[in-house]
Amino acid sequence: MRKDVSMRLVLIEEASTDDRDRENMCDYAIPLFLRYFEFRYFDQIHNTPSSMTLGSSGSSVVVPRNFRLLEELEKGEKGIGDGTVSYGMDDGDDIYMRSWTGTIIGPYNTVHEGRIYQLKLFCDKDYPEKPPSVRFHSRINMTCVNHETGVVESKKFGLLANWQRRFTMEDILTQLKKEMAASHNRKLVQPPEGTHY
């Protein structure tokens, strides 16, 4: 059973490290995607942790970038929690899955209550090793957001400043919503609703 998982993971790692050009992407993307989910479901059936250690070398499995983003896309499409936070891809034809739009509905008992905020998230090639760039499209007054550009400044936003590979776009949006309700942001005077950067 362990050898079976190892063989599947080797296939995933080999295919994900090949430097294929754009034209050949579709020829291997679907089989690779199916292999990955076969591995995921194998884990669930056999109760094997997805970050298991293989062989005697002690190396752990790192989920390739595109598979990680496919998981996030699936979760975003299903909906998150109470529906006040959501996200999705901007361009379904972008095989690199770089550009995303997030939405946050302002939390209760704050100046943000009932407001709908749109954000742009950009996942570069080094995501999830490094955080995506995050920028509010809707105007907002928050201590961690640049007032001129709408960019969420990583030095002022703990999740981006202390980024870990396991963090997701959902985590970013959820934490930004919590930040809206924080004492230093909940009563700040806001720009007119519906204005954009």
Side-chain angles (χ1 to χ4, degrees):
M1 184 164 66
R2 188 179 178 99
K3 186 176 179 183
D4 188 33
V5 173
S6 299
M7 289 174 61
R8 288 182 186 153
L9 291 174
V10 167
L11 287 171
I12 289 169
E13 288 176 351
E14 285 175 0
S16 66
T17 56
D18 284 348
D19 185 26
R20 291 180 164 57
D21 59 21
R22 197 177 254 253
E23 292 81 35
N24 294 329
M25 184 71 78
C26 292
D27 293 341
Y28 83 97
I30 294 172
L32 189 58
F33 179 76
L34 294 174
R35 276 192 220 129
Y36 171 69
F37 279 98
E38 180 182 1
F39 163 68
R40 294 290 293 194
Y41 291 128
F42 184 89
D43 278 351
Q44 292 173 3
I45 293 167
H46 297 285
N47 224 7
T48 311
S50 59
S51 59
M52 63 181 276
T53 303
L54 300 177
S56 58
S57 65
S59 62
S60 61
V61 175
V62 176
V63 177
R65 176 189 180 278
N66 281 8
F67 292 147
R68 163 70 179 270
L69 287 170
L70 285 169
E71 283 185 82
E72 291 197 50
L73 177 61
E74 182 182 12
K75 190 168 185 182
E77 287 177 343
K78 287 181 180 177
I80 303 163
D82 61 1
T84 58
V85 170
S86 63
Y87 62 93
M89 281 180 57
D90 285 342
D91 179 7
D93 293 330
D94 178 11
I95 60 173
Y96 298 108
M97 297 182 276
R98 293 171 289 205
S99 186
W100 299 70
T101 295
T103 304
I104 301 172
I105 299 175
Y108 295 112
N109 297 321
T110 69
V111 294
H112 307 285
E113 184 174 343
R115 287 186 172 215
I116 299 172
Y117 295 99
Q118 278 197 334
L119 302 88
K120 296 293 181 183
L121 299 98
F122 187 83
C123 299
D124 215 342
K125 292 179 182 179
D126 52 8
Y127 179 83
E129 297 301 329
K130 293 186 179 176
S133 60
V134 184
R135 181 180 61 82
F136 274 85
H137 178 63
S138 306
R139 283 198 169 272
I140 189 168
N141 186 11
M142 283 177 67
T143 56
C144 63
V145 177
N146 182 297
H147 299 294
E148 301 290 321
T149 62
V151 170
V152 177
E153 298 177 345
S154 57
K155 292 178 182 176
K156 298 179 180 179
F157 184 57
L159 192 78
L160 296 180
N162 303 305
W163 183 259
Q164 295 179 27
R165 190 179 206 283
R166 63 184 172 86
F167 295 158
T168 63
M169 286 182 278
E170 176 186 349
D171 294 329
I172 293 170
L173 296 172
T174 303
Q175 193 59 41
L176 280 168
K177 183 182 171 192
K178 287 179 183 175
E179 190 71 16
M180 289 176 188
S183 59
H184 52 275
N185 286 315
R186 67 183 302 127
K187 294 182 179 180
L188 289 178
V189 175
Q190 295 300 309
E193 195 167 356
T195 56
H196 301 97
Y197 290 101

